[in-house]
Amino acid sequence: MTVIGLGAMGKALAGAFLDNGHPTTVWNRTAGRGGELTARGATEAATAAEAIAASPVVVVCVLDYDAVREVLGAPGPSGLEDVLDTPGTPDDSRTPDTLGTFDGGSRTPGTLEAPDGSRTPGTPGPLDGSRAVSGLLAGRTLVNLTNGTPRQARELARWASERGADYLDGGIMAVPPMIGTPGSLVLCSGSPEAFTAHEGTLSALGAVDYLGEDAGRAALYDIALLSAMYGMFGGFLQAVALTGSERIPATEFTPLVVAWLNAMLTSLPAMAKAYDANDHSATASNLGMQAKGFVNLLETGRDQGVRTELLEPMGALLDRGVAANRGGDDLSALIDLLRTNPARGADPTRATDDPTRAVDPAKVTDAASYDLGSE
Ligand code: FVH
């Protein structure tokens, strides 16, 4: 295995591969971050090209897609679209100078080609030639576990495929201390052949679920789950800011928040059922009532000296629901008001054996049972 990116997550991934007996090569932009891993048996490559050349499977886990493109020498979004979407414009029609560049990058082609053997620990070094890096991908499997959007994943999959690489995209539904334990879940999508070939190796990271051939599907699930998570975290921050405005210790109040959120979570399956059926009529708590009550959340924030910016969009959405004559409906009626895309509900053409039906929620476990402070 090769792991590119040795931030908190990359280190955890590489450590899990090592723990499972997989020879592992690592590389990080800033030198000197692989020490602990090399002590455990990893090989630290001097360049990204060397790291890619070392293994048939290359796992990339860096900050974002700009970083992925920088490491792999892939063009930025518009460059990728320009190259891939223009009919009759094969990749090899690009000039050598444009091949390795990326949108918005400040490096010159000369810098891209510079050797990086001179990197000093703690200092980001120049990347080895991106042209050389992208040329090395042919015949390998690229597993990108960097957080990104479905569109970014699909574009990178197409770019990788143009270079003869199999592509798998992954969403890591875990924090670094959970990697390699049964509590970690990695959602994958992309090349079915690559998944079949490497599922065993990837399972060193925890539970691995395959969501189908569309490289963007794992990112869609990842972003959807994170959207739900940030909604919850935002609510918690607001709640503690409110109680904190009267000096109530957060540790005293939080157990009640946890119990309350757990109780409220049980209503989600019924809301999902109402959404799929497009029947929002069964409600004990209609939107009109909720829109009225929500005004008090905003007013209390203002009275207590707590900003209401996290809550305001929800208040506006409730008001839109009432204005759209949905005041007698359940909260689930608001989902359609969030959409700018007219498609709604479950895809009727989706096969009953669609792998996306197979994700087992039991694979998501309790993060609190891990030492989250150890990274
Ligand atoms: N940590 C977490 O809780 C979450 C859990 C779910 C998945 N995410 C995603 O994983 C990606 C990596 O996250 P991370 O926790 O490893 O992040 P950092 O510790 O901040 O390390 C960032 C690494 O990215 C490298 N990097 C940044 N920019 C570039 C670049 N332009 N070229 C090459 N590498 C780059 C950075 O290198 P350096 O700063 O040490 O040189 C680190 O290796 C991420 O997508 C999460 O959303 C984590």
PDB file of all heavy atoms in Angstrom, residues 5-10 28-30 33 61-63 67 70-71 146-147 172 174-176, ligand 1:
ATOM      1  N   GLY A   5      -0.188  11.594   2.235  1.00  0.00           N
ATOM      2  CA  GLY A   5      -0.817  12.487   3.212  1.00  0.00           C
ATOM      3  C   GLY A   5      -0.670  11.891   4.596  1.00  0.00           C
ATOM      4  O   GLY A   5      -1.218  10.823   4.887  1.00  0.00           O
ATOM      5  N   LEU A   6       0.095  12.563   5.429  1.00  0.00           N
ATOM      6  CA  LEU A   6       0.303  12.067   6.791  1.00  0.00           C
ATOM      7  C   LEU A   6      -0.178  13.086   7.810  1.00  0.00           C
ATOM      8  O   LEU A   6       0.523  13.440   8.757  1.00  0.00           O
ATOM      9  CB  LEU A   6       1.781  11.715   7.019  1.00  0.00           C
ATOM     10  CG  LEU A   6       2.321  10.586   6.144  1.00  0.00           C
ATOM     11  CD1 LEU A   6       3.801  10.335   6.446  1.00  0.00           C
ATOM     12  CD2 LEU A   6       1.517   9.292   6.338  1.00  0.00           C
ATOM     13  N   GLY A   7      -1.395  13.590   7.579  1.00  0.00           N
ATOM     14  CA  GLY A   7      -2.054  14.350   8.633  1.00  0.00           C
ATOM     15  C   GLY A   7      -2.581  13.341   9.655  1.00  0.00           C
ATOM     16  O   GLY A   7      -2.217  12.154   9.637  1.00  0.00           O
ATOM     17  N   ALA A   8      -3.462  13.806  10.520  1.00  0.00           N
ATOM     18  CA  ALA A   8      -3.990  12.916  11.561  1.00  0.00           C
ATOM     19  C   ALA A   8      -4.624  11.674  10.944  1.00  0.00           C
ATOM     20  O   ALA A   8      -4.411  10.544  11.411  1.00  0.00           O
ATOM     21  CB  ALA A   8      -5.013  13.676  12.401  1.00  0.00           C
ATOM     22  N   MET A   9      -5.384  11.867   9.851  1.00  0.00           N
ATOM     23  CA  MET A   9      -6.077  10.725   9.263  1.00  0.00           C
ATOM     24  C   MET A   9      -5.127   9.841   8.460  1.00  0.00           C
ATOM     25  O   MET A   9      -5.180   8.610   8.561  1.00  0.00           O
ATOM     26  CB  MET A   9      -7.231  11.215   8.391  1.00  0.00           C
ATOM     27  CG  MET A   9      -8.108  10.111   7.853  1.00  0.00           C
ATOM     28  SD  MET A   9      -8.695   8.970   9.134  1.00  0.00           S
ATOM     29  CE  MET A   9     -10.158   9.799   9.742  1.00  0.00           C
ATOM     30  N   GLY A  10      -4.268  10.444   7.659  1.00  0.00           N
ATOM     31  CA  GLY A  10      -3.331   9.648   6.861  1.00  0.00           C
ATOM     32  C   GLY A  10      -2.457   8.764   7.737  1.00  0.00           C
ATOM     33  O   GLY A  10      -2.206   7.590   7.420  1.00  0.00           O
ATOM     34  N   ASN A  28       4.503  12.480   2.524  1.00  0.00           N
ATOM     35  CA  ASN A  28       3.786  13.675   2.946  1.00  0.00           C
ATOM     36  C   ASN A  28       4.484  14.900   2.380  1.00  0.00           C
ATOM     37  O   ASN A  28       5.704  14.919   2.247  1.00  0.00           O
ATOM     38  CB  ASN A  28       3.770  13.762   4.484  1.00  0.00           C
ATOM     39  CG  ASN A  28       2.819  14.829   4.986  1.00  0.00           C
ATOM     40  OD1 ASN A  28       1.624  14.764   4.735  1.00  0.00           O
ATOM     41  ND2 ASN A  28       3.355  15.823   5.678  1.00  0.00           N
ATOM     42  N   ARG A  29       3.671  15.909   2.033  1.00  0.00           N
ATOM     43  CA  ARG A  29       4.257  17.129   1.445  1.00  0.00           C
ATOM     44  C   ARG A  29       5.351  17.703   2.340  1.00  0.00           C
ATOM     45  O   ARG A  29       6.445  18.026   1.890  1.00  0.00           O
ATOM     46  CB  ARG A  29       3.150  18.168   1.243  1.00  0.00           C
ATOM     47  CG  ARG A  29       3.664  19.495   0.764  1.00  0.00           C
ATOM     48  CD  ARG A  29       2.540  20.494   0.679  1.00  0.00           C
ATOM     49  NE  ARG A  29       1.936  20.779   1.978  1.00  0.00           N
ATOM     50  CZ  ARG A  29       1.082  21.765   2.216  1.00  0.00           C
ATOM     51  NH1 ARG A  29       0.701  22.544   1.219  1.00  0.00           N
ATOM     52  NH2 ARG A  29       0.577  21.969   3.418  1.00  0.00           N
ATOM     53  N   THR A  30       5.040  17.817   3.609  1.00  0.00           N
ATOM     54  CA  THR A  30       6.033  18.334   4.541  1.00  0.00           C
ATOM     55  C   THR A  30       6.830  17.161   5.085  1.00  0.00           C
ATOM     56  O   THR A  30       6.254  16.215   5.636  1.00  0.00           O
ATOM     57  CB  THR A  30       5.350  19.087   5.695  1.00  0.00           C
ATOM     58  OG1 THR A  30       4.538  20.115   5.139  1.00  0.00           O
ATOM     59  CG2 THR A  30       6.370  19.693   6.639  1.00  0.00           C
ATOM     60  N   ARG A  33       7.175  13.842   8.804  1.00  0.00           N
ATOM     61  CA  ARG A  33       5.951  13.427   9.502  1.00  0.00           C
ATOM     62  C   ARG A  33       5.775  11.904   9.519  1.00  0.00           C
ATOM     63  O   ARG A  33       4.797  11.401  10.044  1.00  0.00           O
ATOM     64  CB  ARG A  33       4.725  14.080   8.854  1.00  0.00           C
ATOM     65  CG  ARG A  33       4.816  15.601   8.824  1.00  0.00           C
ATOM     66  CD  ARG A  33       3.656  16.270   9.524  1.00  0.00           C
ATOM     67  NE  ARG A  33       4.031  17.624   9.924  1.00  0.00           N
ATOM     68  CZ  ARG A  33       3.477  18.731   9.471  1.00  0.00           C
ATOM     69  NH1 ARG A  33       2.497  18.655   8.618  1.00  0.00           N
ATOM     70  NH2 ARG A  33       3.872  19.900   9.900  1.00  0.00           N
ATOM     71  N   CYS A  61      -5.023  10.770   1.153  1.00  0.00           N
ATOM     72  CA  CYS A  61      -5.869  11.387   2.185  1.00  0.00           C
ATOM     73  C   CYS A  61      -5.209  12.688   2.620  1.00  0.00           C
ATOM     74  O   CYS A  61      -4.388  12.708   3.543  1.00  0.00           O
ATOM     75  CB  CYS A  61      -6.078  10.432   3.363  1.00  0.00           C
ATOM     76  SG  CYS A  61      -7.316  11.055   4.527  1.00  0.00           S
ATOM     77  N   VAL A  62      -5.528  13.739   1.899  1.00  0.00           N
ATOM     78  CA  VAL A  62      -4.980  15.051   2.214  1.00  0.00           C
ATOM     79  C   VAL A  62      -6.129  16.010   2.531  1.00  0.00           C
ATOM     80  O   VAL A  62      -7.280  15.593   2.612  1.00  0.00           O
ATOM     81  CB  VAL A  62      -4.081  15.574   1.058  1.00  0.00           C
ATOM     82  CG1 VAL A  62      -2.777  14.794   0.993  1.00  0.00           C
ATOM     83  CG2 VAL A  62      -4.811  15.499  -0.277  1.00  0.00           C
ATOM     84  N   LEU A  63      -5.789  17.264   2.702  1.00  0.00           N
ATOM     85  CA  LEU A  63      -6.766  18.211   3.238  1.00  0.00           C
ATOM     86  C   LEU A  63      -8.026  18.346   2.378  1.00  0.00           C
ATOM     87  O   LEU A  63      -9.144  18.278   2.883  1.00  0.00           O
ATOM     88  CB  LEU A  63      -6.091  19.579   3.384  1.00  0.00           C
ATOM     89  CG  LEU A  63      -6.866  20.641   4.130  1.00  0.00           C
ATOM     90  CD1 LEU A  63      -7.136  20.207   5.568  1.00  0.00           C
ATOM     91  CD2 LEU A  63      -6.112  21.961   4.106  1.00  0.00           C
ATOM     92  N   ALA A  67      -5.497  19.985  -2.781  1.00  0.00           N
ATOM     93  CA  ALA A  67      -4.268  19.290  -2.389  1.00  0.00           C
ATOM     94  C   ALA A  67      -4.100  17.991  -3.187  1.00  0.00           C
ATOM     95  O   ALA A  67      -2.993  17.644  -3.604  1.00  0.00           O
ATOM     96  CB  ALA A  67      -4.288  19.007  -0.881  1.00  0.00           C
ATOM     97  N   GLU A  70      -2.932  18.865  -6.511  1.00  0.00           N
ATOM     98  CA  GLU A  70      -1.542  19.324  -6.474  1.00  0.00           C
ATOM     99  C   GLU A  70      -0.588  18.136  -6.407  1.00  0.00           C
ATOM    100  O   GLU A  70       0.409  18.078  -7.110  1.00  0.00           O
ATOM    101  CB  GLU A  70      -1.358  20.255  -5.279  1.00  0.00           C
ATOM    102  CG  GLU A  70      -0.133  21.111  -5.401  1.00  0.00           C
ATOM    103  CD  GLU A  70      -0.149  22.272  -4.414  1.00  0.00           C
ATOM    104  OE1 GLU A  70      -1.221  22.811  -4.113  1.00  0.00           O
ATOM    105  OE2 GLU A  70       0.939  22.618  -3.955  1.00  0.00           O
ATOM    106  N   VAL A  71      -0.946  17.182  -5.571  1.00  0.00           N
ATOM    107  CA  VAL A  71      -0.073  16.015  -5.420  1.00  0.00           C
ATOM    108  C   VAL A  71      -0.030  15.184  -6.701  1.00  0.00           C
ATOM    109  O   VAL A  71       1.032  14.736  -7.131  1.00  0.00           O
ATOM    110  CB  VAL A  71      -0.549  15.130  -4.242  1.00  0.00           C
ATOM    111  CG1 VAL A  71       0.202  13.808  -4.234  1.00  0.00           C
ATOM    112  CG2 VAL A  71      -0.363  15.842  -2.918  1.00  0.00           C
ATOM    113  N   THR A 146      -9.946  11.537   0.581  1.00  0.00           N
ATOM    114  CA  THR A 146     -10.010  12.952   0.935  1.00  0.00           C
ATOM    115  C   THR A 146     -11.458  13.430   0.861  1.00  0.00           C
ATOM    116  O   THR A 146     -12.172  13.093  -0.076  1.00  0.00           O
ATOM    117  CB  THR A 146      -9.165  13.760  -0.080  1.00  0.00           C
ATOM    118  OG1 THR A 146      -7.843  13.229  -0.075  1.00  0.00           O
ATOM    119  CG2 THR A 146      -9.151  15.240   0.234  1.00  0.00           C
ATOM    120  N   ASN A 147     -11.865  14.214   1.830  1.00  0.00           N
ATOM    121  CA  ASN A 147     -13.231  14.732   1.810  1.00  0.00           C
ATOM    122  C   ASN A 147     -13.440  15.663   0.616  1.00  0.00           C
ATOM    123  O   ASN A 147     -12.609  16.524   0.336  1.00  0.00           O
ATOM    124  CB  ASN A 147     -13.508  15.503   3.116  1.00  0.00           C
ATOM    125  CG  ASN A 147     -14.908  16.053   3.155  1.00  0.00           C
ATOM    126  OD1 ASN A 147     -15.171  17.158   2.705  1.00  0.00           O
ATOM    127  ND2 ASN A 147     -15.823  15.269   3.663  1.00  0.00           N
ATOM    128  N   ILE A 172     -14.753   8.674   4.846  1.00  0.00           N
ATOM    129  CA  ILE A 172     -14.406   8.039   6.126  1.00  0.00           C
ATOM    130  C   ILE A 172     -15.371   8.546   7.192  1.00  0.00           C
ATOM    131  O   ILE A 172     -15.356   9.736   7.543  1.00  0.00           O
ATOM    132  CB  ILE A 172     -12.959   8.371   6.542  1.00  0.00           C
ATOM    133  CG1 ILE A 172     -11.984   7.976   5.435  1.00  0.00           C
ATOM    134  CG2 ILE A 172     -12.608   7.676   7.849  1.00  0.00           C
ATOM    135  CD1 ILE A 172     -10.547   8.388   5.716  1.00  0.00           C
ATOM    136  N   ALA A 174     -15.492   8.273  10.415  1.00  0.00           N
ATOM    137  CA  ALA A 174     -14.811   7.973  11.682  1.00  0.00           C
ATOM    138  C   ALA A 174     -13.765   9.050  11.908  1.00  0.00           C
ATOM    139  O   ALA A 174     -13.369   9.747  10.974  1.00  0.00           O
ATOM    140  CB  ALA A 174     -14.132   6.607  11.613  1.00  0.00           C
ATOM    141  N   VAL A 175     -13.321   9.165  13.138  1.00  0.00           N
ATOM    142  CA  VAL A 175     -12.200  10.051  13.443  1.00  0.00           C
ATOM    143  C   VAL A 175     -10.945   9.195  13.582  1.00  0.00           C
ATOM    144  O   VAL A 175     -11.047   7.972  13.750  1.00  0.00           O
ATOM    145  CB  VAL A 175     -12.485  10.882  14.727  1.00  0.00           C
ATOM    146  CG1 VAL A 175     -13.591  11.891  14.457  1.00  0.00           C
ATOM    147  CG2 VAL A 175     -12.840   9.985  15.898  1.00  0.00           C
ATOM    148  N   PRO A 176      -9.764   9.814  13.483  1.00  0.00           N
ATOM    149  CA  PRO A 176      -8.536   9.013  13.399  1.00  0.00           C
ATOM    150  C   PRO A 176      -8.375   7.914  14.466  1.00  0.00           C
ATOM    151  O   PRO A 176      -7.986   6.789  14.115  1.00  0.00           O
ATOM    152  CB  PRO A 176      -7.421  10.062  13.474  1.00  0.00           C
ATOM    153  CG  PRO A 176      -8.043  11.265  12.814  1.00  0.00           C
ATOM    154  CD  PRO A 176      -9.479  11.257  13.248  1.00  0.00           C
TER     155      PRO A 176
HETATM  156  N1  FVH B   1      -9.549  13.999  11.062  1.00  0.00           N
HETATM  157  C1  FVH B   1     -10.867  13.832  11.020  1.00  0.00           C
HETATM  158  O1  FVH B   1     -11.535  13.815  12.027  1.00  0.00           O
HETATM  159  C2  FVH B   1     -11.623  13.648   9.714  1.00  0.00           C
HETATM  160  C3  FVH B   1     -12.400  12.367   9.723  1.00  0.00           C
HETATM  161  C4  FVH B   1     -13.113  12.104   8.425  1.00  0.00           C
HETATM  162  C5  FVH B   1     -12.214  12.319   7.209  1.00  0.00           C
HETATM  163  N2  FVH B   1     -11.535  13.586   7.295  1.00  0.00           N
HETATM  164  C6  FVH B   1     -10.884  14.003   6.054  1.00  0.00           C
HETATM  165  O2  FVH B   1      -9.604  13.389   5.880  1.00  0.00           O
HETATM  166  C7  FVH B   1      -8.758  14.261   5.141  1.00  0.00           C
HETATM  167  C8  FVH B   1      -7.443  14.444   5.887  1.00  0.00           C
HETATM  168  O3  FVH B   1      -7.738  14.932   7.166  1.00  0.00           O
HETATM  169  P1  FVH B   1      -6.634  15.018   8.313  1.00  0.00           P
HETATM  170  O4  FVH B   1      -7.332  14.860   9.612  1.00  0.00           O
HETATM  171  O5  FVH B   1      -5.525  14.095   8.022  1.00  0.00           O
HETATM  172  O6  FVH B   1      -6.157  16.552   8.133  1.00  0.00           O
HETATM  173  P2  FVH B   1      -4.809  17.232   8.661  1.00  0.00           P
HETATM  174  O7  FVH B   1      -4.325  16.593   9.916  1.00  0.00           O
HETATM  175  O8  FVH B   1      -5.083  18.689   8.691  1.00  0.00           O
HETATM  176  O9  FVH B   1      -3.732  16.908   7.514  1.00  0.00           O
HETATM  177  C9  FVH B   1      -3.853  17.456   6.215  1.00  0.00           C
HETATM  178  C10 FVH B   1      -2.926  16.709   5.282  1.00  0.00           C
HETATM  179  O10 FVH B   1      -3.062  17.264   3.950  1.00  0.00           O
HETATM  180  C11 FVH B   1      -1.755  17.650   3.480  1.00  0.00           C
HETATM  181  N3  FVH B   1      -1.868  18.753   2.567  1.00  0.00           N
HETATM  182  C12 FVH B   1      -2.531  19.913   2.744  1.00  0.00           C
HETATM  183  N4  FVH B   1      -2.405  20.696   1.672  1.00  0.00           N
HETATM  184  C13 FVH B   1      -1.604  20.039   0.791  1.00  0.00           C
HETATM  185  C14 FVH B   1      -1.118  20.315  -0.504  1.00  0.00           C
HETATM  186  N5  FVH B   1      -1.419  21.471  -1.119  1.00  0.00           N
HETATM  187  N6  FVH B   1      -0.351  19.401  -1.115  1.00  0.00           N
HETATM  188  C15 FVH B   1      -0.049  18.229  -0.507  1.00  0.00           C
HETATM  189  N7  FVH B   1      -0.484  17.884   0.742  1.00  0.00           N
HETATM  190  C16 FVH B   1      -1.255  18.788   1.363  1.00  0.00           C
HETATM  191  C17 FVH B   1      -1.010  18.016   4.733  1.00  0.00           C
HETATM  192  O11 FVH B   1       0.370  18.007   4.425  1.00  0.00           O
HETATM  193  P3  FVH B   1       1.396  18.918   5.277  1.00  0.00           P
HETATM  194  O12 FVH B   1       0.664  20.189   5.651  1.00  0.00           O
HETATM  195  O13 FVH B   1       1.785  18.097   6.473  1.00  0.00           O
HETATM  196  O14 FVH B   1       2.516  19.162   4.338  1.00  0.00           O
HETATM  197  C18 FVH B   1      -1.442  16.878   5.676  1.00  0.00           C
HETATM  198  O15 FVH B   1      -0.763  15.696   5.364  1.00  0.00           O
HETATM  199  C19 FVH B   1      -9.518  15.570   4.959  1.00  0.00           C
HETATM  200  O16 FVH B   1     -10.077  15.605   3.668  1.00  0.00           O
HETATM  201  C20 FVH B   1     -10.602  15.489   6.023  1.00  0.00           C
HETATM  202  O17 FVH B   1     -11.759  16.241   5.703  1.00  0.00           O
HETATM  203  C21 FVH B   1     -10.716  13.738   8.496  1.00  0.00           C
END
